[in-house]
Amino acid sequence: MSQKITKAVFPAAGLGTRSLPATKAVAKEMLPIVDKPLIQYAVEEAVAAGIDTMVFVIGRNKESIANHFDKSYELEKELEKSGKTGLLNMLRDLLPPHVSCVFVRQAEALGLGHAVHCAKPVVGNEPFAVILPDDLIEDGNRGCLKQMVDLFDKEQSSILGVERVDPKETHKYGIVEHSEIAPRVGKLSSIVEKPKPEVAPSNIAVVGRYILTPAIFEKIETTGRGAGGEIQLTDAIAALMKDEQILSYEFEGNRYDCGSKFGFLLANVEYGLLHQEINHEFGQYLKQRTAKI
């Protein structure tokens, strides 16, 4: 019987050092792109993919994530009293009624592999998705994870979201080697964490979207520390690849690395141009501003 993806894991215990000093006291996942925090975009993408259980792996000082998705009685009462119905409805619609949130504590930041493993008690023996909130992906249609879930429904195997990057930047990513079996779909033959450009097997990089079978948990448990002294999810995936098929999927859409200052600014510009409330005014401003350069 084919399995369905109903749970998504959001590793959110990182310190956000690339965005300091903004993230000294604010969770990087709560940094806003126009008027919504990164974590909300990630959850909305998961909801669009049919997922109903959101598993947040958080560390210290990340209570703001839980607060964001919790009910705010005082704020709702004030908005209702002020007759601000639109804002009130927006707050009440942050999560559909059928969606539940589970928060798991990662006591020590030991790497992405460790963060994913922290979700094991909630995920259990089911395939699941992993979304890294600071990789914001916009495709104007289905959403990246929905594309991958549709592929999983057909193939019933682990899938890594990938894109082609500048060959000079392979040291920033997990890099895969694959053989194409369908348009945008490849079968993995190797994966390596952050290789230098001169030894990278390709320029096909794994970005912040995964669908994984539960067998990954055992591989994480037997994986030693890798690059950066951390338990790397990439190393566990390499081990899993010896036992089962793993696919790569070149998603449709544009990715913004919001963990970097440039990517964060770029996302705000692009999403500002898409925002129904401000797109015209913002677009006019950009035209006037660029004319002065």
Side-chain angles (χ1 to χ4, degrees), residues 36-180:
K36 290 192 293 189
L38 284 165
I39 194 68
Q40 187 176 331
Y41 286 100
V43 168
E44 289 175 355
E45 183 180 332
V47 171
I51 290 168
D52 58 23
T53 303
M54 312 297 168
V55 186
F56 301 90
V57 180
I58 60 174
R60 292 180 66 251
N61 302 322
K62 295 295 182 95
E63 292 85 359
S64 58
I65 296 175
N67 291 339
H68 179 72
F69 292 107
D70 198 3
K71 189 174 181 66
S72 177
Y73 293 98
E74 297 84 358
L75 180 56
E76 290 187 14
K77 185 176 180 179
E78 184 61 31
L79 291 174
E80 188 173 16
K81 180 181 177 181
S82 303
K84 297 179 179 179
T85 307
L87 290 174
L88 178 62
N89 291 335
M90 179 188 67
L91 284 184
R92 288 175 172 173
D93 292 340
L94 283 183
L95 281 176
H98 70 282
V99 172
S100 61
C101 296
V102 181
F103 294 88
V104 178
R105 189 69 173 264
Q106 185 184 17
E108 187 178 2
L110 297 177
L112 180 56
H114 180 260
V116 170
H117 190 269
C118 288
K120 181 181 178 181
V122 182
V123 171
N125 193 35
E126 300 177 26
F128 63 102
V130 177
I131 298 181
L132 305 189
D134 51 6
D135 268 332
L136 183 59
I137 299 175
E138 195 281 320
D139 76 339
N141 191 12
R142 293 177 293 170
C144 177
L145 193 60
K146 180 62 166 66
Q147 298 173 42
M148 294 174 65
V149 166
D150 288 346
L151 180 60
F152 176 85
D153 289 342
K154 298 176 183 177
E155 299 291 342
Q156 295 289 296
S157 63
S158 294
I159 305 168
L160 313 182
V162 301
E163 72 172 359
R164 297 175 189 273
V165 299
D166 186 331
K168 297 178 182 178
E169 297 190 343
T170 57
H171 63 287
K172 298 179 180 180
Y173 302 90
I175 300 294
V176 306
E177 189 174 16
H178 68 193
S179 55
E180 188 172 308

Side-chain angles (χ1 to χ4, degrees), residues 165-206:
V165 299
D166 186 331
K168 297 178 182 178
E169 297 190 343
T170 57
H171 63 287
K172 298 179 180 180
Y173 302 90
I175 300 294
V176 306
E177 189 174 16
H178 68 193
S179 55
E180 188 172 308
I181 60 175
R184 296 185 176 274
V185 182
K187 181 178 179 180
L188 256 66
S189 55
S190 71
I191 181 171
V192 60
E193 181 68 13
K194 299 179 179 178
K196 294 180 179 179
E198 59 267 24
V199 297
S202 73
N203 68 326
I204 303 172
V206 181

